[in-house]
Amino acid sequence: MAVLQEYKCPCCGGAIAFDSAIQKMKCPYCDTEFEMETLKNYDSELKNDLKEDMRWESAAGADWREGEAEGLRSYVCKSCGGEIVGDENTAAASCPFCGNPVVMMGQFSGALKPDYVIPFKLDKKAAKEALIKHYSGKRLLPKVFKDENHIDEVKGIYVPFWIFDADAEANIRYKATRVRAWSDSTYNYTETSFFSVFRGGNIAFEHVPVDGSEKMPDDLMESIEPFDFSEAVDFQTAYLAGYFADKYDVDAEQSIIRANERIKTSTANAFANTVQGYASVTPETTGIRLINGQTKYALYPVWLLNTTWNGKKYTFAMNGQTGKLAGDLPLDKSAYKKWLFGLTGIASAVAFAACYLFWLL
């Protein structure tokens, strides 16, 4: 069976054909002309595009050995359904997620044993001080919030994270342009030159974290990153003494999508930063292949602070290793309107000054 070969214009994507009059390939849509050798090299480069392959072989976590989890207890919140783990001496009066009472369910079972844990370095006092510092300098924060807002609960909790390591082999092709403009006594001219730019190479990723808890918003957990994995140690149940440990409800397989998104974004940004000197750069194909991908299961330390103001709950999270804190704050609508009108007034004044200067000229 005969196979028809169709060539696409790298500039506009239209089908191109050989023009016998000029002895070149020419696009009938944008009139771009191509030397035969140039098109041959371009076609050869297209064959180097990588097919995406971002599969993982997960071996995260391990089974608990006999008697190893005997000192652990499982707690379930009747309000939000959160299931957390603590030791037999952990005071479980309320849920660290929603603040409502929790119920002790008895012996813990049914989850993988973590591979690593990063122990808490900062205590409850440091978490409270970090929250107070978080309030400072916020001009749009209601003035009475600091005085009337009170901390309902401060809980130290080990959050489950799936940790992804891999070498990424990438091959990315970009469409780039350069623009040249000039004029004569009759016309203004603009010449746009199109380039096909290729980038290929390898990037190593270590300890890409994805939290394994649906109750923990991804954006909140990513806001308190990074965690220093060099301080991670092999997991022992003793590290849970006095703290909670969130029981993962998103497994490693489900977390792959988020891990791949983070790896693809980081790879694309790294390669795009190497394409310089063009008026515009647009990625056309992105092929990423993971090599030696490994997944591990770790617990990271987080302080959760639940506060109440005007009948509404606010939750803040602090990295229990570095002290980085994040969380939403209420907005003083009156102050916001004044700030917004102030910006509008400045813009109007600038516009008026520009018009006045124009008439003077």
Side-chain angles (χ1 to χ4, degrees), residues 57-135:
E57 294 183 6
S58 177
D63 293 329
W64 297 90
R65 293 192 296 271
E66 184 177 353
E68 192 174 15
E70 285 183 357
L72 302 181
R73 297 293 182 268
S74 179
Y75 303 82
V76 175
C77 176
K78 289 186 175 181
S79 298
C80 71
E83 184 173 358
I84 50 182
V85 180
D87 73 342
E88 55 190 350
N89 297 316
T90 301
S94 60
C95 175
F97 304 111
C98 68
N100 290 316
V102 295
V103 177
M104 182 186 296
M105 298 300 292
Q107 187 69 29
F108 167 74
S109 64
L112 292 174
K113 174 186 172 183
D115 298 301
Y116 303 103
V117 59
I118 296 180
F120 275 88
K121 292 184 67 176
L122 301 173
D123 59 15
K124 183 182 295 188
K125 180 181 178 182
K128 292 181 178 180
E129 292 175 348
L131 182 59
I132 295 173
K133 185 178 180 181
H134 186 63
Y135 295 159

Side-chain angles (χ1 to χ4, degrees), residues 6-9 11-17 26-32:
E6 183 180 42
Y7 291 93
K8 296 287 187 179
C9 174
C11 302
C12 71
I16 58 178
K26 185 175 181 178
C27 176
Y29 302 99
C30 65
D31 291 330
T32 304

Side-chain angles (χ1 to χ4, degrees), residues 72-214:
L72 302 181
R73 297 293 182 268
S74 179
Y75 303 82
V76 175
C77 176
K78 289 186 175 181
S79 298
C80 71
E83 184 173 358
I84 50 182
V85 180
D87 73 342
E88 55 190 350
N89 297 316
T90 301
S94 60
C95 175
F97 304 111
C98 68
N100 290 316
V102 295
V103 177
M104 182 186 296
M105 298 300 292
Q107 187 69 29
F108 167 74
S109 64
L112 292 174
K113 174 186 172 183
D115 298 301
Y116 303 103
V117 59
I118 296 180
F120 275 88
K121 292 184 67 176
L122 301 173
D123 59 15
K124 183 182 295 188
K125 180 181 178 182
K128 292 181 178 180
E129 292 175 348
L131 182 59
I132 295 173
K133 185 178 180 181
H134 186 63
Y135 295 159
S136 64
K138 304 295 191 299
R139 297 177 60 184
L140 301 182
L141 183 69
K143 293 181 179 179
V144 296
F145 179 78
K146 297 179 184 179
D147 300 327
E148 297 180 359
N149 171 57
H150 65 278
I151 299 176
D152 300 324
E153 202 79 46
V154 182
K155 295 286 188 182
I157 181 169
Y158 282 106
V159 177
F161 276 84
W162 302 105
I163 310 301
F164 296 86
D165 294 352
D167 295 322
E169 179 185 358
N171 193 332
I172 304 178
R173 176 162 49 87
Y174 305 88
K175 179 192 289 186
T177 63
R178 286 186 181 138
V179 179
R180 184 170 70 95
W182 72 95
S183 61
D184 56 25
S185 57
T186 307
Y187 299 104
N188 294 323
Y189 303 91
T190 300
E191 177 189 77
T192 301
S193 300
F194 292 85
F195 301 86
S196 187
V197 182
F198 298 86
R199 290 291 185 270
N202 297 282
I203 300 180
F205 289 90
E206 291 185 342
H207 314 133
V208 178
V210 178
D211 79 83
S213 172
E214 284 189 353

Side-chain angles (χ1 to χ4, degrees), residues 140-326:
L140 301 182
L141 183 69
K143 293 181 179 179
V144 296
F145 179 78
K146 297 179 184 179
D147 300 327
E148 297 180 359
N149 171 57
H150 65 278
I151 299 176
D152 300 324
E153 202 79 46
V154 182
K155 295 286 188 182
I157 181 169
Y158 282 106
V159 177
F161 276 84
W162 302 105
I163 310 301
F164 296 86
D165 294 352
D167 295 322
E169 179 185 358
N171 193 332
I172 304 178
R173 176 162 49 87
Y174 305 88
K175 179 192 289 186
T177 63
R178 286 186 181 138
V179 179
R180 184 170 70 95
W182 72 95
S183 61
D184 56 25
S185 57
T186 307
Y187 299 104
N188 294 323
Y189 303 91
T190 300
E191 177 189 77
T192 301
S193 300
F194 292 85
F195 301 86
S196 187
V197 182
F198 298 86
R199 290 291 185 270
N202 297 282
I203 300 180
F205 289 90
E206 291 185 342
H207 314 133
V208 178
V210 178
D211 79 83
S213 172
E214 284 189 353
K215 299 173 290 297
M216 292 291 192
D218 288 339
D219 56 352
L220 182 61
M221 290 298 96
E222 291 176 10
S223 295
I224 62 173
E225 291 180 10
F227 290 87
D228 184 1
F229 195 82
S230 67
E231 296 182 348
V233 296
D234 291 338
F235 175 79
Q236 296 182 43
T237 56
Y239 288 109
L240 300 185
Y243 300 98
F244 289 108
D246 188 10
K247 185 177 180 181
Y248 67 83
D249 48 13
V250 179
D251 61 26
E253 191 69 25
Q254 294 171 302
S255 301
I256 285 176
I257 295 175
R258 183 61 181 158
N260 286 349
E261 287 177 356
R262 302 193 74 175
I263 289 175
K264 288 181 69 173
T265 299
S266 297
T267 301
N269 291 339
F271 278 71
N273 289 336
T274 69
V275 185
Q276 305 289 335
Y278 297 95
S280 67
V281 177
T282 305
E284 289 191 300
T285 63
T286 301
I288 299 176
R289 181 173 299 163
L290 298 182
I291 304 170
N292 301 322
Q294 295 182 350
T295 310
K296 295 296 182 182
Y297 173 30
L299 297 180
Y300 283 177
V302 176
W303 284 103
L304 286 184
L305 301 93
N306 291 309
T307 69
T308 303
W309 182 67
N310 273 1
K312 183 178 179 181
K313 290 184 178 180
Y314 295 87
T315 298
F316 302 88
M318 189 190 84
N319 187 315
Q321 180 191 36
T322 67
K324 187 176 181 181
L325 185 140

